[in-house]
Amino acid sequence: MQKSIWDKYAQVLVDYSTNVQKGELVIIRAGSIEAKELVKSVYKRVLEKGANPVVRTSIGDLAEIFLKYASDEQLDYIDPMSKMEYEKADVFISLGAPQNTKSMARADLTKMAKRGKATKQLSELLLKRSANGEAKWVIADVPTNALAQEAKMSLDEYSEFLFKACYLDLDNPVEKLRELDKKQSGWAQYLNNVKTLHITGEKTDITFNVEGRKWISCSGLNNYPDGEVFTSPVENGINGEIYFDYPQNYRGNCANGVHLMIENGLVVKATAEQGEEFLNAMINMDEGSHGIGEIAIGTNDEIQEITGNILFDEKIGGAIHMALGASYPETGGKNISGLHWDLIKNMKNGGKIFADEKLIYENGKFII
């Protein structure tokens, strides 16, 4: 019997991305009821692997209602059941399925920042457990009308785009992911011996100290789709200016034309042609949100345009992204924040990357 697209999708997430083992506790999170078909396939596959699945399904508008009505005490509250899951679960499979990508667009920015600061302890815990090999996680999406509308596509067009970006149109998507990883690992190994990364382009001239930091090839283990090499730069070793020409989407809000000035690793000036108030509210979320948590190079050539979905947009082949806020402990990063906002920059319009002043990347392509 031929596998459905959902069974193929589930097999990648369970067998490859998180390598679920017998007896493990697996939390399956569904963003809405629209993820139902993939949830069922993942649930079945986890059972077939001999593990123990627990499903957590959300109702679309709860986050909006929470921010609207929650008191300061409720914004700071972390329920003990959620905390226990972060402490005890072996695997987290999170399936996004938004029914309204703009549900948080008018949310109170102060409350949003306060809630982000409160939940920082959970994301920090998961990242530490993951870096120590104690937990595995993956984030994926299913096609919905909301995502299709955001990408200015029909649902059929968006579904085709999503499945191709995940290589699910191929007979063996895992083989393709492993091929991608082999190529990216060569670049990562090269960059592991580099001390400084210098990026130039439109309104951009910035240097990152990456000495001693580990570069990682991303090929479907934490994000699906995937396609990037990344590291967390030395916290006080970033200086210069950088301009992000793509729309920057985060939590239902958007900032366009983002221009940052960075001194000794901290954002000292942030402007935007649109959404500047939101941009600065997120940067001021907590002490660590002024810092830089990641610098990465996107490599997925199946993704070539902004769709309004950060899971896909940050992987654009020919683009880079830089994250404000939390860094990744597995790279050696030490910045802690409730924020991790990936800002994406097109590099196909004359962008260059120099490694220890040697040109290694130009116009959206590695040349090493």
Side-chain angles (χ1 to χ4, degrees):
M1 182 177 175
Q2 188 175 8
K3 285 191 179 79
S4 73
I5 192 73
W6 302 119
D7 287 338
K8 187 190 286 190
Y9 202 158
Q11 192 163 355
V12 175
L13 296 175
V14 175
D15 293 30
Y16 173 75
S17 299
T18 55
N19 189 23
V20 170
Q21 300 294 305
K22 184 177 180 180
E24 289 185 328
L25 173 59
V26 181
I27 307 296
I28 304 168
R29 293 173 173 159
S32 77
I33 193 64
E34 294 198 47
K36 178 178 68 173
E37 294 304 320
L38 184 53
V39 169
K40 290 193 297 185
S41 291
V42 169
Y43 188 81
K44 180 179 72 173
R45 188 60 186 159
V46 169
L47 288 171
E48 289 172 344
K49 298 289 285 185
N52 303 297
V54 175
V55 176
R56 298 282 183 257
T57 305
S58 179
I59 299 172
D61 299 327
L62 291 184
E64 178 189 1
I65 293 170
F66 180 77
L67 284 183
K68 186 174 182 179
Y69 294 103
S71 65
D72 283 349
E73 291 78 11
Q74 289 168 321
L75 289 168
D76 286 334
Y77 181 74
I78 301 298
D79 74 86
M81 286 80 78
S82 294
K83 187 177 180 185
M84 184 181 296
E85 285 184 359
Y86 275 86
E87 291 171 341
K88 301 295 184 183
D90 302 294
V91 178
F92 296 84
I93 299 175
S94 300
L95 308 176
Q99 296 171 306
N100 179 1
T101 61
K102 302 299 184 186
S103 64
M104 302 293 283
R106 293 175 179 255
D108 185 309
L109 298 183
T110 303
K111 283 188 164 186
M112 187 182 291
K114 187 174 181 62
R115 184 59 180 170
K117 185 176 181 180
T119 57
K120 175 177 66 174
Q121 60 180 283
L122 298 181
S123 55
E124 182 185 349
L125 176 59
L126 179 56
L127 288 175
K128 283 184 178 178
R129 292 189 65 220
S130 176
N132 293 335
E134 298 170 5
K136 298 168 285 185
W137 58 274
V138 66
I139 299 170
D141 276 347
V142 301
T144 66
N145 276 303
L147 288 174
Q149 189 172 24
E150 187 74 28
K152 299 179 176 60
M153 300 180 193
S154 70
L155 182 59
D156 284 347
E157 288 170 337
Y158 189 79
S159 298
E160 182 180 0
F161 159 76
L162 185 150
F163 294 141
K164 286 187 72 174
C166 294
Y167 310 119
L168 290 167
D169 58 322
L170 305 178
D171 291 335
N172 190 343
V174 170
E175 183 179 22
K176 177 66 175 179
L177 288 166
R178 287 181 173 143
E179 177 187 312
L180 180 69
D181 185 62
K182 183 177 180 180
K183 179 171 63 175
Q184 292 180 168
S185 292
W187 296 328
Q189 287 169 13
Y190 179 90
L191 290 166
N192 280 335
N193 297 309
V194 166
K195 294 180 180 179
T196 60
L197 208 67
H198 181 197
I199 299 176
T200 64
E202 181 186 1
K203 291 188 262 186
T204 297
D205 189 344
I206 188 168
T207 301
F208 299 83
N209 180 353
V210 293
E211 185 175 7
R213 294 299 165 92
K214 181 180 180 182
W215 286 83
I216 294 176
S217 163
C218 296
S219 54
L221 297 184
N222 295 130
N223 287 182
Y224 191 49
D226 220 336
E228 66 174 280
V229 289
F230 79 93
T231 194
S232 296
V234 175
E235 285 67 30
N236 62 356
I238 307 109
N239 288 280
E241 65 173 324
I242 184 166
Y243 177 72
F244 300 94
D245 43 358
Y246 283 136
Q248 311 301 325
N249 296 282
Y250 189 69
R251 296 184 180 179
N253 286 268
C254 183
N256 286 323
V258 172
H259 191 201
L260 303 179
M261 304 296 295
I262 301 169
E263 294 180 5
N264 299 321
L266 298 176
V267 177
V268 294
K269 184 179 180 182
T271 61
E273 293 155 19
Q274 177 188 348
E276 187 171 310
E277 182 184 2
F278 176 71
L279 171 67
N280 280 287
M282 293 300 100
I283 289 173
N284 291 317
M285 178 183 293
D286 54 42
E287 186 177 347
S289 56
H290 291 80
I292 307 303
E294 177 189 9
I295 183 66
I297 304 165
T299 62
N300 190 326
D301 290 331
E302 295 294 337
I303 309 173
Q304 285 297 310
E305 58 185 300
I306 288 289
T307 65
N309 182 350
I310 191 64
L311 179 64
F312 290 75
D313 295 348
E314 68 171 359
K315 313 301 190 314
I316 291 174
I320 63 168
H321 60 273
M322 185 191 82
L324 297 169
S327 58
Y328 292 100
E330 60 266 40
T331 67
K334 298 177 177 63
N335 197 46
I336 297 171
S337 175
L339 181 71
H340 185 91
W341 184 1
D342 293 300
L343 303 173
I344 307 154
K345 177 177 179 61
N346 180 22
M347 294 292 284
K348 290 177 282 190
N349 54 359
K352 295 180 181 180
I353 301 177
F354 300 84
D356 292 337
E357 297 309 317
K358 176 184 177 181
L359 183 64
I360 64 165
Y361 180 101
E362 187 174 16
N363 289 319
K365 297 288 183 184
F366 276 98
I367 58 174
I368 55 170

